[in-house]
């Protein structure tokens, strides 16, 4: 079936205006709809539903932490506190005229215990350890021991090593040291040693705690002297048992915390206040 050709006279040639059903303000995000462009979404309404921006920056030493605070913080909008876990700052610097806003940045410097402290704290927990275990531990950490001297320590270790499998007896002296004797099965005296009541170690307590030394100002770990108390007993199998403890550890950590906090306060200046938080 044939169709009629299109009648060109039915097409309108008048000017046309296309109106979008909605328009979004590229600056505020406000949305206007329909022919009269009545507002349907208030300006900034979309942004108000965006959750607060949160970031956490972690630093390995006090100096880096302070540099970040001074560079990016505002004293009126920055909360600084410390405890035994480390230094912590809440930076809320996205406000207007130093008024706190919804964006928060965290900057933390954790007080991480050094490997040397972790090694000695495990050894000096107060539980009984055998003679062989003590020998191996002292050999591994010999560079940390400052008292007795190296020669005396080597002699003591040799005596302990040679008498690991023999029967032992221990006698506590008036000065706190222990007189240990070993006998063979034939009850012939095999050896004797004087075990000191305590030894002294010098170790770093915190990672990243460095100070310049020497004329060249080279940064080296800051060492703290600790006394390690040694108690000796004889078990049911006539073998020596040792219990180690560090009674001055808490005071040493209070000192190192105070040093780190004082260093941070100096670097931050008078515009910032560093508070002590709970837990320390």
């Amino acid at each position: 079936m044939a169709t009629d050709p299109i009648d060109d006279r039915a097409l309108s040639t008048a000017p046309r205006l296309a109106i979008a059903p909605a328009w979004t303000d590229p600056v505020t995000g406000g949305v206007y709809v329909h022919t009269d462009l009545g507002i349907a979404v208030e300006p900034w309404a979309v942004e108000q539903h965006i959750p607060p921006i949160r970031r956490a920056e972690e630093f390995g030493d006090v100096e880096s932490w302070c540099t970040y605070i001074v560079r990016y913080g505002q004293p009126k909008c920055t909360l600084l506190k410390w405890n035994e876990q480390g230094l912590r700052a809440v930076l809320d610097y996205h406000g207007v005229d130093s008024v706190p806003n919804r964006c928060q940045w965290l900057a933390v410097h954790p007080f991480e215990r050094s490997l040397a402290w972790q090694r000695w704290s495990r050894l000096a927990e107060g539980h009984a350890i055998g003679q062989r275990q003590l020998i191996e531990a002292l050999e591994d950490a010999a560079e940390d021991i400052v008292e007795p001297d190296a020669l005396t320590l080597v002699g003591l270790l040799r005596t302990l090593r040679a008498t690991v499998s023999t029967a032992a007896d221990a006698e506590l002296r008036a000065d706190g040291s222990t007189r240990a004797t070993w006998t063979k099965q034939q009850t012939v005296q095999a050896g004797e040693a004087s075990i000191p009541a305590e030894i002294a170690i010098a170790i770093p307590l915190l990672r990243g705690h460095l100070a310049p030394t020497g004329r060249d100002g080279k940064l080296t770990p800051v060492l703290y002297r600790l006394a390690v108390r040694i108690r000796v007993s004889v078990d049911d199998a006539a073998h020596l048992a040792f219990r180690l403890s560090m009674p001055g550890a808490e005071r040493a950590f209070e000192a190192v915390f105070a040093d780190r906090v004082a260093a941070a306060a100096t670097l931050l200046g008078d515009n910032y206040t560093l508070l002590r938080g709970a837990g320390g």
Side-chain angles (χ1 to χ4, degrees):
M1 180 177 180
T3 59
D4 295 335
I6 299 176
D7 188 356
D8 294 337
R9 290 173 300 176
L11 299 177
S12 174
T13 59
R16 295 180 175 85
L17 175 64
I19 300 178
W23 177 77
T24 302
D25 190 324
V27 177
T28 69
V31 179
Y32 302 82
V33 298
H34 217 349
T35 56
D36 56 354
L37 293 181
I39 186 169
V41 179
E42 295 293 333
W44 311 113
V46 176
E47 284 74 8
Q48 291 177 1
H49 292 283
I50 298 176
I53 299 175
R54 292 181 178 271
R55 290 288 302 275
E57 304 291 346
E58 190 167 311
F59 300 91
D61 55 55
V62 171
E63 292 74 16
S64 298
W65 182 79
C66 292
T67 300
Y68 184 87
I69 301 303
V70 173
R71 171 63 178 84
Y72 295 102
Q74 292 183 7
K76 293 183 179 180
C77 300
T78 302
L79 171 63
L80 304 177
K81 64 180 183 178
W82 73 273
N83 56 25
E84 64 180 6
Q85 302 302 321
L87 302 171
R88 177 184 176 91
V90 181
L91 291 81
D92 193 342
Y93 54 83
H94 276 64
V96 179
D97 295 331
S98 299
V99 177
N101 206 326
R102 304 173 67 248
C103 301
Q104 289 187 355
W105 263 250
L106 299 180
V108 297
H109 166 54
F111 288 153
E112 295 186 14
R113 277 51 174 177
S114 66
L115 295 178
W117 165 256
Q118 295 177 36
R119 178 172 60 245
W120 280 101
S121 62
R122 289 192 299 266
L123 183 62
E125 288 179 340
H127 60 273
I129 60 176
Q131 189 170 331
R132 186 185 302 275
Q133 184 180 356
L134 177 67
I135 295 170
E136 295 175 351
L138 293 181
E139 287 178 340
D140 292 340
E143 63 180 10
D144 299 334
I145 301 174
V146 294
E147 188 180 332
D149 56 72
L151 183 60
T152 304
L153 180 62
V154 169
L156 177 60
L157 291 176
R158 286 178 177 175
T159 302
L160 293 175
R161 179 179 294 279
T163 56
V164 167
S165 58
T166 59
D169 189 19
E171 175 188 352
L172 182 62
R173 294 171 174 168
D175 61 357
S177 63
T178 301
R179 175 177 177 267
T181 58
W182 294 268
T183 58
K184 296 181 180 179
Q185 294 182 355
Q186 296 88 345
T187 67
V188 176
Q189 181 170 313
E192 178 180 332
S194 178
I195 301 175
E198 65 180 31
I199 61 176
I201 61 175
I203 60 173
L205 297 181
L206 299 179
R207 292 184 180 182
H209 187 188
L210 307 176
T213 57
R215 295 182 178 179
D216 56 355
K218 182 180 179 181
L219 294 177
T220 58
V222 177
L223 304 181
Y224 284 80
R225 185 185 177 99
L226 294 170
V228 180
R229 186 168 298 169
I230 303 176
R231 293 181 172 90
V232 186
S233 60
V234 180
D235 60 19
D236 296 338
H239 292 154
L240 292 181
F242 299 86
R243 290 178 173 85
L244 277 62
S245 63
M246 290 187 290
E250 183 175 355
R251 292 193 301 271
F253 271 103
E254 284 293 337
V256 71
F257 293 155
D259 178 270
R260 296 291 77 202
V261 171
T266 301
L267 293 173
L268 291 172
D270 297 334
N271 292 330
Y272 291 92
T273 301
L274 187 55
L275 306 176
R276 178 160 189 169

